[in-house]
Amino acid sequence: MSAVNVPVVESALLQIADKRQIKTGRERLAEMSPQCGFGELGTCCRTCYMGPCRIDPFGDGPKTGVCGITPDAMVARNLLRETVGGAASHVGHARHVLLTLRDALDKKVPYEIKGESKVLALAKVFDVPTEGRDVVAICRDLVDIALEDFGRQDELPNNWLSKRAPKIEQQLWKDLGLMYSNPHNEIETAMHASSMGNDADPMSLMMRVLKMSLIDGWTGLALAVDLQDILFGIPEIGETEAAVGVLEANSVNVATHGHNPVLSEKILYWAERMNEEAIAAGAERINVVGVCCTGNELSMRHGVKLAAHNSQSELILVTGAVDAMVVDIQCIWPQLAQVAKCFDTAFITTDPMVRIPDARHIPFEPQHADESAREIVGAAIEAFRRRRGKPVDIPQLKSKAIVGLSLEAIVGILSKVDPVDPLGPVIDNVANGNIFGFAGIVGCSSIRFRDGAMTEEMVKHLLAQNVLVVTTGCTAHILGQAGFLTGDATNLYCGEGLKAVLSALGEAAGLDGPLPPVWHMGACVDNSRVVDLLVGVAARLGVKVGQLPAVGSAPELVQEKAISIGGSFLAMGVSCHIAPAPRILGSPMVTQLLTSDLSDVTGAVVRVEVQAERAAQWMVEHIAKKRDALGLITAGVR
């Protein structure tokens, strides 16, 4: 709270928590500081029960584990297990959506195809015949192709990887032994290989990290996004609002939190149909708001307002105005149940993988989606009855936000400028330097960096250098709350070249002003949309993705998923900034590989910078090197 850059939303909510004497994650972090140095270095191993072993790579302590494992192998093995955790989260989510779509085609679940254009686009990619066939029949073929990947034992390349990923990159992956078949087999193999007494070669383990990252990128992210677009529709550009001020004192506030739109779509559906029940209970209406990635999913398809990123999830409860927080999977803090008990909030878990003491559990399965969603909304209305008339404390802080810039929406805007060659204007402006480059600023929100506004400060520096920013996940919430998802931010922060481009595109899009300088592309799974954008630009230029003047950044790393997502960018040849350092510094070999030697393998490196301006400056310098290699203008860079 003493830092000068504390975001105004956090500051207001922390003051309320302090007034109500509710302990937050900041206090819990302070209580366990300093944190374990061995753990931060990655040289702590609990894989077997001769340990835990702690290697001291810099002092006079032990130099190997009890079994003799070296610090390089220990760090690589731990990193692999983190990457498996991230990939398993996304692959499991994709498989759940796949099974829901399969059952929807057979009318076993109450969902239907809303993205027919996505079905037809994917049919071209997978050579599925369309002539004379209805969309359901075409979609069945796509479902069968996806299902084959989860059951095959023939070692042939995974369908979603081999058909969706660019061929030029696939050749490198074949040469490196990174192509894969069944993602479940690879997850099993990676866990087996990293168990005690197996793979102890750090380079072999790091190649497994890259393979697992590709699995995350193509059979996790890309598959999930493709199927969600089929089920729920392709996102379109629209306007909403972000920050805690979207809560309404006299409405039934339902906060949807997590990552699964199969649940949140039904919550929104039934909230609209049960509005009269809420009015009868004394409310003005039912107000569904989004937290974390579920918020992004609902926002980019329905304009639902963005209430909070993950590290604010407990803070918005202290307003006393959240009647129900409904969670599904991933990034759910157990403490939420305890904070909810201080108020009239119904804290509701829905997935069997997320059972939390003191939470109300309402099982949600697609087969009974309507019944469960209706029960959940009903619980929110009952919670409002309990809190009606009691004081609430909602900071009136919010910002407008333009959201839903899927690749299809972006191409739609560009087509209004050049119908024949939509990417042509982008290429021209990259060539002349008006767009100096691209930065994907993605990932989590961390209380270790929030009080310094790490993400916001970094983006300001990038925009001033004419770097166009795309964003997903909780980072999108951060930038939405800070006003970066508006045309006003273009005028306020951008260099003259980028400002001119975004003004022209805003006019073409029919907006009252320029496009925002930060493009909201969705939830964390929607990083595949970022990849598809880069693939499209690279194809138009006739170069590899890794040759583009582009860089990725996870400026507030929290989740294992960010590790596997970042690895998928590295495998594509896109260098990444990250903060804090991943748990690799205890291994000179792994550190050297990721920060330098990997450039000779995939063309990408990792840079750790915890200071915003230095991080942005490295990204600009890296982009400048890519421009030089392509013979593009680099003059004027500061």
Side-chain angles (χ1 to χ4, degrees):
M1 291 290 294
S2 60
V4 296
N5 288 329
V6 179
V8 65
V9 175
E10 264 92 351
S11 180
L13 289 170
L14 286 167
Q15 289 176 29
I16 297 171
D18 185 61
K19 180 176 65 177
R20 296 182 184 271
Q21 296 185 316
I22 294 176
K23 183 184 290 188
T24 70
R26 283 165 172 76
E27 284 78 27
R28 296 191 294 274
L29 176 60
E31 288 173 352
M32 62 180 62
S33 296
Q35 293 172 298
C36 175
F38 292 98
E40 288 186 337
L41 293 173
T43 54
C44 177
C45 177
R46 299 171 57 249
T47 303
C48 84
Y49 278 82
M50 292 187 295
C53 294
R54 301 188 302 179
I55 295 176
D56 179 3
F58 307 121
D60 297 327
K63 299 305 177 190
T64 70
V66 172
C67 70
I69 192 168
T70 65
D72 290 331
M74 182 182 287
V75 168
R77 190 168 68 179
N78 287 341
L79 187 64
L80 175 57
R81 290 204 158 202
E82 285 187 20
T83 311
V84 169
S89 296
H90 287 141
V91 170
H93 172 57
R95 186 176 63 85
H96 178 263
V97 178
L98 172 60
L99 297 180
T100 301
L101 176 57
R102 178 200 64 185
D103 290 346
L105 298 178
D106 292 331
K107 300 189 182 302
K108 293 179 179 178
V109 297
Y111 298 89
E112 59 187 18
I113 295 173
K114 293 184 179 179
E116 291 191 11
S117 61
K118 191 74 169 201
V119 174
L120 297 177
L122 289 171
K124 291 181 180 178
V125 172
F126 289 94
D127 299 318
V128 172
T130 59
E131 179 129 12
R133 307 180 72 204
D134 65 27
V135 70
V136 171
I138 298 168
C139 196
R140 283 188 196 280
D141 286 352
L142 293 173
V143 166
D144 288 342
I145 291 169
L147 285 171
E148 181 183 43
D149 282 339
F150 287 96
R152 66 190 319 158
Q153 302 295 325
D154 54 16
E155 300 304 318
L156 292 175
N158 179 273
N159 291 320
W160 235 258
L161 173 74
S162 61
K163 293 290 188 180
R164 285 280 275 106
K167 300 298 181 187
I168 192 168
E169 272 77 17
Q170 287 187 47
Q171 185 56 53
L172 172 64
W173 300 336
K174 288 176 183 176
D175 294 342
L176 294 173
L178 302 183
M179 295 293 282
Y180 64 90
S181 183
N182 181 331
H184 287 171
N185 289 357
E186 296 293 349
I187 289 171
E188 171 195 295
T189 299
M191 289 301 291
H192 188 185
S194 60
S195 63
M196 188 269 182
N198 286 314
D199 200 339
D201 180 340
M203 181 56 76
S204 171
L205 289 162
M206 290 304 295
M207 288 300 103
R208 294 183 191 277
V209 168
L210 286 180
K211 178 183 278 192
M212 195 54 51
S213 297
L214 283 177
I215 290 168
D216 184 285
W218 297 99
T219 313
L221 308 182
L223 178 60
V225 169
D226 286 344
L227 301 181
Q228 286 173 183
D229 281 357
I230 290 173
L231 273 173
F232 309 123
I234 298 172
E236 298 178 357
I237 186 170
E239 188 175 289
T240 187
E241 294 177 323
V244 65
V246 303
L247 296 174
E248 299 170 0
N250 299 317
S251 294
V252 177
N253 292 302
V254 181
T256 59
H257 177 14
H259 292 76
N260 189 357
V262 175
L263 168 66
S264 56
E265 287 276 338
K266 282 297 183 182
I267 298 295
L268 183 63
Y269 176 90
W270 280 102
E272 292 169 349
R273 280 150 186 79
M274 296 175 67
N275 209 46
E276 291 302 319
E277 292 183 34
I279 293 171
E284 292 180 1
R285 70 186 191 101
I286 299 178
N287 179 37
V288 177
V289 299
V291 177
C292 198
C293 280
T294 288
N296 288 314
E297 295 283 2
L298 289 179
S299 180
M300 64 183 179
R301 291 189 175 92
H302 304 286
V304 166
K305 298 174 182 180
L306 299 168
H309 51 70
N310 183 41
S311 62
Q312 294 172 337
S313 58
E314 64 178 341
L315 293 179
I316 65 165
L317 296 183
V318 305
T319 64
V322 178
D323 297 298
M325 178 171 278
V326 187
V327 304
D328 45 67
I329 54 172
Q330 302 172 18
C331 302
I332 313 301
W333 291 16
Q335 182 66 14
L336 294 173
Q338 302 307 313
V339 179
K341 285 171 63 178
C342 300
F343 303 96
D344 296 299
T345 303
F347 181 68
I348 301 170
T349 59
T350 59
D351 194 282
M353 290 189 296
V354 185
R355 299 299 294 261
I356 297 175
D358 294 321
R360 178 176 176 180
H361 189 73
I362 299 178
F364 182 90
E365 293 292 343
Q367 294 85 347
H368 311 291
D370 286 319
E371 296 89 335
S372 297
R374 185 165 188 164
E375 182 180 354
I376 289 167
V377 176
I381 295 171
E382 288 305 310
F384 174 83
R385 291 183 193 272
R386 293 193 296 272
R387 81 154 171 97
R388 183 183 176 192
K390 296 179 182 179
V392 296
D393 199 344
I394 306 172
Q396 294 304 301
L397 300 168
K398 58 184 176 180
S399 173
K400 291 183 179 179
I402 293 174
V403 297
L405 278 91
S406 61
L407 179 60
E408 291 86 350
I410 292 169
V411 171
I413 293 170
L414 295 175
S415 296
K416 295 177 182 178
V417 179
D418 188 337
V420 177
D421 183 14
L423 289 176
V426 173
I427 302 303
D428 292 342
N429 280 287
V430 170
N432 65 28
N434 284 338
I435 300 175
F436 191 70
F438 306 92
I441 312 298
V442 304
C444 318
S445 60
S446 172
I447 55 178
R448 296 176 67 175
F449 290 94
R450 282 293 70 230
D451 290 354
M454 171 71 173
T455 297
E456 300 93 319
E457 292 302 308
M458 193 178 71
V459 168
K460 287 178 185 177
H461 292 294
L462 290 171
L463 297 180
Q465 300 281 2
N466 294 311
V467 175
L468 178 64
V469 174
V470 298
T471 189
T472 63
C474 282
T475 299
H477 281 265
I478 291 172
L479 296 173
Q481 292 181 13
F484 286 97
L485 304 187
T486 67
D488 290 342
T490 299
N491 295 321
L492 186 60
Y493 299 115
C494 289
E496 292 304 316
L498 184 58
K499 186 186 300 182
V501 175
L502 294 172
S503 296
L505 292 177
E507 181 179 350
L511 300 176
D512 186 19
L515 273 183
V518 177
W519 290 1
H520 177 282
M521 297 195 77
C524 58
V525 295
D526 292 290
N527 278 294
S528 69
R529 299 190 198 275
V530 179
V531 171
D532 284 342
L533 176 61
L534 294 177
V535 168
V537 174
R540 173 62 176 74
L541 280 171
V543 300
K544 292 182 178 181
V545 170
Q547 294 177 267
L548 293 175
V551 67
S553 173
E556 301 188 26
L557 170 66
V558 173
Q559 263 272 11
E560 293 171 329
K561 296 181 298 177
I563 296 292
S564 56
I565 292 171
S568 69
F569 276 78
L570 295 176
M572 293 285 293
V574 179
S575 294
C576 295
H577 157 258
I578 196 168
R583 299 183 182 114
I584 63 169
L585 298 182
S587 165
M589 176 269 171
V590 173
T591 301
Q592 176 74 13
L593 174 66
L594 291 179
T595 61
S596 177
D597 294 351
L598 190 64
S599 62
D600 296 327
V601 181
T602 69
V605 295
V606 175
R607 177 67 172 237
V608 175
E609 287 288 357
V610 297
Q611 201 278 331
E613 185 172 359
R614 290 177 61 182
Q617 190 59 35
W618 174 80
M619 286 189 274
V620 171
E621 291 170 358
H622 182 79
I623 288 170
K625 292 177 182 178
K626 295 292 184 178
R627 292 183 65 87
D628 284 340
L630 290 172
L632 302 176
I633 297 170
T634 57
V637 180
R638 297 188 296 278

